[in-house]
Amino acid sequence: MSQRNLTLLTDFYELTMMQGYFKEKNANETVIFDVFYRNNPFGNGFAICAGLEQVIEYISNLHFEKDDVDYLRSTGMFEEDFLDYLYHFKFSGDIYAIPEGTVIFPREPLVKVVAPIMEAQLVETALLNIINHQSLIATKTYRVVHAAQGDGVMEFGLRRAQGPDAGIYGARAAMIAGCIGTSNVLAGKLFDVPVKGTHAHSWIMSFPDELTAFRTYAKMYPTACILLVDTYDTLNSGVPHAIQVFQEMKDAGIPLTFYGIRLDSGDLAYLSKQAKQMLDAAGFSDAVISASNDLDETLINSLKVQGATINSWGVGTNLITAKDCPSFGGVYKLAAIQEKTTGKFIPKIKLSENVEKITNPGDKAIKRIYNRETGKIIADLICLADEIFDESNSLLLFDPIQTWKKTHLAPRSYTMRDLLVPVFKQGKCVYHSPKVMEIQSYCKQELSTLWEESRRLVNPHKVHVDLSSQLWHIKNQLLDSYNFNSQKES
């Protein structure tokens, strides 16, 4: 997709705050903001990070056109010296991020922005919009794909998505998380991913009869012949006619490389089992039985339990809209301000009576800790960016809230990996985004590092996200100091 100027894709208060910083002469004060989320969507045991490529496109093209500035002037809220500054605006900061397709957990920074406060403030809304949406759809897709137990899942929710962008980038996120293809042709072109589809009921209805419609379709697409069999009568008409066409193709010497039927209504468990018996009896035991019709992970799992013989799934509305959990809940919070004289970052913390809304302060990194023998994730450790760990030493992990819950890792029993990677340095992109299908392969590898107990769809085992001892002490010192000050004031 040609780059669009999304600079004004922001909340109005970001711009009014920018002008405030500009007027207060602290526009060049370097700060750190973190993007993170607080709870896994859908009751899942984790989420899947997606959207970084679009973040890169957004940041790279960040600038104010003349008509942007003219529009802002028309609001009557901005003064001319600030508007003149916007003419020359360019992002000059650093951005670190977790690569797309990575398994992620609550409270750890997905994106870290280190930049002058005006620049860091401006990008908040768009970063959240992009990361929240694609990470949500990727996580939902994982659940659907996991329920399918190795069967192919095709995304075809474009007509039900909340607008073109949601359909395009939702399809992209779905491919990252494991779909085998999308019905969205533009997404296929933009991201070089497989596009797939069969035909609609209108195709059948436009012919004099069902058999003629099937024959015509088979003649045109003999190597991708999936016939929709429920237009009139699935078992008494659709499946028998499909079998007749498959037999005619076989008699004519046409290789049946990819063929089968699609069910789009009715009792999918019963119909698929009956159709399978009919196809097997006719000698077409390798025919694909595909199903659609408002599917999600719960219904797919139920159909599996019922012994449905479906081996290909088309999922639309419930996937592309994340119908049962329509928002990801990512937030963007100030974590540190750089001291001008020393260059050190002074940690900042947001307090709340809701414990989950208290932020983790400071300039942070994330270490993913694996069992050296199995390669499975033990925990994630949020630490200070300059902390150094040695795998030849023992490591103490503890719950940051229930601190008596501790785990001692013996020397060389674990490995560590940095999750945040540099994306922009001094305003220049230093990261190469992989192709979507490469990200999908990486995502599959990421999922394999989870224990099965963490991958289950209901009541998954919680993967711990702990704080390093240094970060934990800094956080609690800040909490104590604020409590002390509030008591003094009262």
Side-chain angles (χ1 to χ4, degrees):
M1 182 178 290
S2 60
Q3 285 192 351
R4 293 178 294 171
N5 182 3
L6 299 178
T7 305
L8 291 188
L9 184 69
T10 190
D11 291 309
F12 191 59
Y13 80 164
E14 310 287 16
L15 291 161
T16 56
M17 283 190 287
M18 280 182 72
Q19 179 170 247
Y21 297 137
F22 180 82
K23 290 293 184 180
E24 290 299 315
K25 307 303 181 186
N26 60 348
N28 293 320
E29 188 172 49
T30 299
V31 298
I32 297 175
F33 276 90
D34 294 332
V35 174
F36 62 93
Y37 71 103
R38 298 187 178 105
N39 297 292
N40 288 317
F42 315 105
N44 211 49
F46 57 91
I48 295 173
C49 191
L52 180 57
E53 183 175 325
Q54 282 63 55
V55 167
I56 293 171
E57 292 172 358
Y58 161 72
I59 295 291
S60 299
N61 199 38
L62 201 59
H63 68 283
F64 290 85
E65 301 279 1
K66 181 180 182 301
D67 61 343
D68 297 332
V69 177
D70 289 343
Y71 168 73
L72 294 177
R73 180 181 290 111
S74 73
T75 66
M77 291 290 290
F78 302 101
E79 299 182 16
E80 285 302 318
D81 54 350
F82 175 66
L83 293 173
D84 184 65
Y85 161 79
L86 295 182
Y87 276 120
H88 310 287
F89 179 89
K90 184 180 179 183
F91 184 81
S92 64
D94 301 342
I95 293 179
Y96 301 82
I98 296 178
E100 293 188 88
T102 303
V103 167
I104 52 176
F105 305 104
R107 308 197 65 76
E108 53 195 26
L110 313 182
V111 180
K112 180 171 76 171
V113 178
V114 186
I117 194 166
M118 295 176 68
E119 301 174 22
Q121 194 73 69
L122 175 65
V123 302
E124 172 182 3
T125 305
L127 260 61
L128 290 176
N129 176 277
I130 294 166
I131 296 294
N132 277 342
H133 174 244
Q134 290 198 47
S135 299
L136 178 74
I137 303 305
T139 307
K140 178 65 172 181
T141 301
Y142 158 76
R143 292 175 61 81
V144 173
V145 170
H146 186 69
Q149 300 177 24
D151 297 340
V153 175
M154 187 181 81
E155 181 280 317
F156 66 98
L158 178 58
R159 63 188 62 188
R160 301 286 175 80
Q162 286 96 342
D165 279 1
I168 292 166
Y169 295 112
R172 180 183 186 275
M175 292 302 303
I176 285 173
C179 280
I180 63 169
T182 176
S183 67
N184 188 329
V185 180
L186 182 55
K189 176 188 175 184
L190 292 174
F191 309 125
D192 192 24
V193 298
V195 289
K196 297 178 180 292
T198 56
H199 57 79
H201 295 103
S202 57
W203 171 269
I204 309 296
M205 296 162 65
S206 68
F207 286 85
D209 57 74
E210 186 177 59
L211 183 58
T212 302
F214 285 176
R215 282 173 172 160
T216 305
Y217 192 84
K219 183 178 180 180
M220 293 179 66
Y221 307 108
T223 60
C225 186
I226 304 295
L227 302 175
L228 182 58
V229 296
D230 72 333
T231 304
Y232 301 120
D233 187 324
T234 301
L235 298 180
N236 293 316
S237 174
V239 175
H241 284 152
I243 289 172
Q244 184 175 343
V245 170
F246 298 152
Q247 187 62 53
E248 290 171 358
M249 294 172 69
K250 185 177 180 180
D251 293 342
I254 299 172
L256 296 172
T257 53
F258 183 75
Y259 74 106
I261 63 171
R262 177 161 75 96
L263 304 168
D264 190 50
S265 61
D267 186 330
L268 297 178
Y270 172 77
L271 291 174
S272 68
K273 287 185 278 189
Q274 293 298 309
K276 176 65 173 171
Q277 291 180 12
M278 296 166 70
L279 288 162
D280 286 354
F284 300 108
S285 59
D286 59 345
V288 171
I289 300 180
S290 178
S292 49
N293 189 25
D294 288 334
L295 298 173
D296 62 9
E297 67 270 34
T298 302
L299 184 50
I300 291 173
N301 184 68
S302 175
L303 289 166
K304 287 283 187 180
V305 170
Q306 294 174 66
T309 59
I310 299 161
N311 53 19
S312 177
W313 308 85
V315 187
T317 304
N318 293 320
L319 186 154
I320 204 68
T321 65
K323 189 174 180 179
D324 53 331
C325 180
S327 91
F328 189 70
V331 296
Y332 188 82
K333 299 299 180 184
L334 181 68
I337 297 178
Q338 191 175 47
E339 193 175 61
K340 291 180 180 179
T341 54
T342 65
K344 293 182 178 180
F345 281 102
I346 308 303
K348 294 291 181 178
I349 191 170
K350 175 189 177 295
L351 299 184
S352 173
E353 291 186 7
N354 297 327
V355 175
E356 70 275 7
K357 288 193 172 185
I358 298 175
T359 60
N360 292 318
D363 182 10
K364 299 179 290 296
I366 313 165
K367 305 287 186 180
R368 178 149 293 170
I369 305 169
Y370 301 90
N371 182 295
R372 184 181 292 272
E373 184 176 339
T374 65
K376 300 295 186 183
I377 297 173
I378 297 173
D380 277 2
L381 184 68
I382 305 176
C383 58
L384 298 175
D386 58 0
E387 285 192 71
I388 298 174
F389 298 87
D390 187 346
E391 295 170 9
S392 64
N393 294 330
S394 62
L395 181 66
L396 172 65
L397 301 176
F398 62 91
D399 187 287
I401 304 298
Q402 299 169 315
T403 54
W404 61 90
K405 295 183 177 180
K406 299 178 180 179
T407 299
H408 287 270
L409 301 181
R412 297 186 177 85
S413 67
Y414 64 94
T415 60
M416 304 184 82
R417 166 192 165 206
D418 286 304
L419 289 191
L420 289 169
V421 300
V423 178
F424 282 88
K425 298 294 288 184
Q426 297 181 341
K428 294 183 179 180
C429 183
V430 296
Y431 180 81
H432 173 71
S433 292
K435 291 186 176 182
V436 169
M437 298 310 290
E438 293 173 340
I439 300 173
Q440 184 188 87
S441 296
Y442 166 74
C443 186
K444 289 179 181 177
Q445 178 185 343
E446 277 286 290
L447 292 167
S448 72
T449 65
L450 288 164
W451 297 94
E452 281 302 316
E453 292 82 356
S454 296
R455 296 185 62 177
R456 61 189 177 219
L457 300 181
V458 179
N459 296 325
H461 172 75
K462 179 182 177 182
V463 176
H464 293 289
V465 179
D466 297 330
L467 304 183
S468 70
S469 180
Q470 286 190 46
L471 179 56
W472 185 86
H473 282 292
I474 288 173
K475 182 175 183 177
N476 279 274
Q477 286 171 2
L478 286 171
L479 290 172
D480 289 342
S481 68
Y482 279 108
N483 287 336
F484 175 74
N485 288 334
S486 64
Q487 289 172 9
K488 273 182 59 176
E489 290 168 4
S490 61

